[in-house]
Amino acid sequence: MKPLVYIVDDDAALREALSSLLRSADMDVATFGSVADFMDHCRDDRNSCLLLDVRLGGHSGMDLHAELKSQGCALPVVFMTGFGDIPMSVRAMKAGAVDFLAKPVRVEELLDAVNQALARDAADRTEHATLSGLRQRYQALTPREREIMALAARGLMNKQIAAEVGTSEITVKIHRGQAMKKMQAKTFADLVRMAEALDLR
């Protein structure tokens, strides 16, 4: 499936020009003339990014970006503006924008920024899918296996874990082995990394 670029800009001619350019670069495009139109749209669950004008007929693109972040939407944003200044661009970048482009936007610069935003989104999606898989496998562990996995990840030896949970060292080894098998950890180092990703330490 082609990546999707959302464009929010109140200049209809510019929306059309940008749409044509991005489609020629083998991307799908969805355009919106206002913040309200974009917010009302049901967004696709696929590799995507947002090309966003800073000033939108009484609304601020910066405010939209902040609103999306507050909703937990990690859609990467590339800002465009004909009225930008350095403090505004710094604020946008600190807020997590991928780039801040001055109009008229150069074709190469625009495509580079959009590709960078799509690459960030793809990486975020991969990380989210990996973490989601880890959480599902972790849920399959018994309470004792979870406890021993967390203690082992903190660096405790089997003997220390046995004393901590009140069981034998051989039982700890069995539970740890089961935890590694269920988590699909090939090595103990893998299990530790998984525990860190799950914030168990």
Side-chain angles (χ1 to χ4, degrees):
M1 187 180 291
K2 294 179 184 178
L4 174 62
V5 180
Y6 298 103
I7 300 173
V8 182
D9 196 300
D10 54 9
D11 182 334
L14 181 61
R15 287 199 308 274
E16 184 57 39
L18 291 173
S19 179
S20 177
L21 170 66
L22 293 169
R23 285 196 172 96
S24 73
D26 206 29
M27 300 174 194
D28 284 338
V29 182
T31 63
F32 307 89
S34 70
V35 168
D37 287 349
F38 174 72
M39 293 302 283
D40 286 343
H41 177 74
C42 183
R43 291 187 283 282
D44 290 17
D45 183 20
R46 60 164 147 159
N47 185 206
S48 53
C49 70
L50 173 59
L51 201 50
L52 178 61
D53 191 15
V54 171
R55 296 187 182 180
L56 290 157
H59 292 89
S60 162
M62 305 280 274
D63 288 343
L64 171 59
H65 187 210
E67 174 66 18
L68 290 172
K69 287 179 69 177
S70 74
Q71 293 178 3
C73 175
L75 190 65
V77 173
V78 175
F79 280 108
M80 305 177 295
T81 183
F83 309 95
D85 54 31
I86 291 173
M88 187 186 287
S89 64
V90 169
R91 189 154 61 95
M93 299 305 278
K94 280 186 175 178
V98 174
D99 211 336
F100 192 93
L101 308 177
K103 295 178 180 177
V105 181
R106 297 204 316 270
V107 170
E108 240 177 69
E109 192 177 30
L110 176 79
L111 291 176
D112 283 348
V114 167
N115 281 318
Q116 188 181 341
L118 290 170
R120 180 188 290 186
D121 184 61
D124 287 347
R125 285 170 178 275
T126 298
E127 184 179 342
H128 178 75
T130 299
L131 188 55
S132 179
L134 272 182
R135 286 179 178 143
Q136 284 181 358
R137 296 199 294 276
Y138 182 68
Q139 290 302 314
L141 301 184
T142 66
R144 182 47 61 90
E145 286 164 356
R146 291 180 197 172
E147 184 181 24
I148 288 172
M149 176 180 170
L151 291 170
R154 276 169 41 196
L156 273 66
M157 306 296 288
N158 287 342
K159 189 175 182 179
Q160 294 171 307
I161 296 172
E164 179 88 15
V165 303
T167 189
S168 68
E169 192 173 344
I170 195 82
T171 301
V172 169
K173 285 181 181 177
I174 291 169
H175 283 308
R176 195 172 93 164
Q178 282 297 106
M180 287 185 63
K181 183 178 179 182
K182 290 179 182 178
M183 292 301 295
Q184 299 173 19
K186 292 179 181 176
T187 66
F188 179 63
D190 286 342
L191 193 70
V192 171
R193 281 191 288 271
M194 290 173 181
E196 287 174 346
L198 293 165
D199 202 23
L200 301 184
R201 300 185 69 182

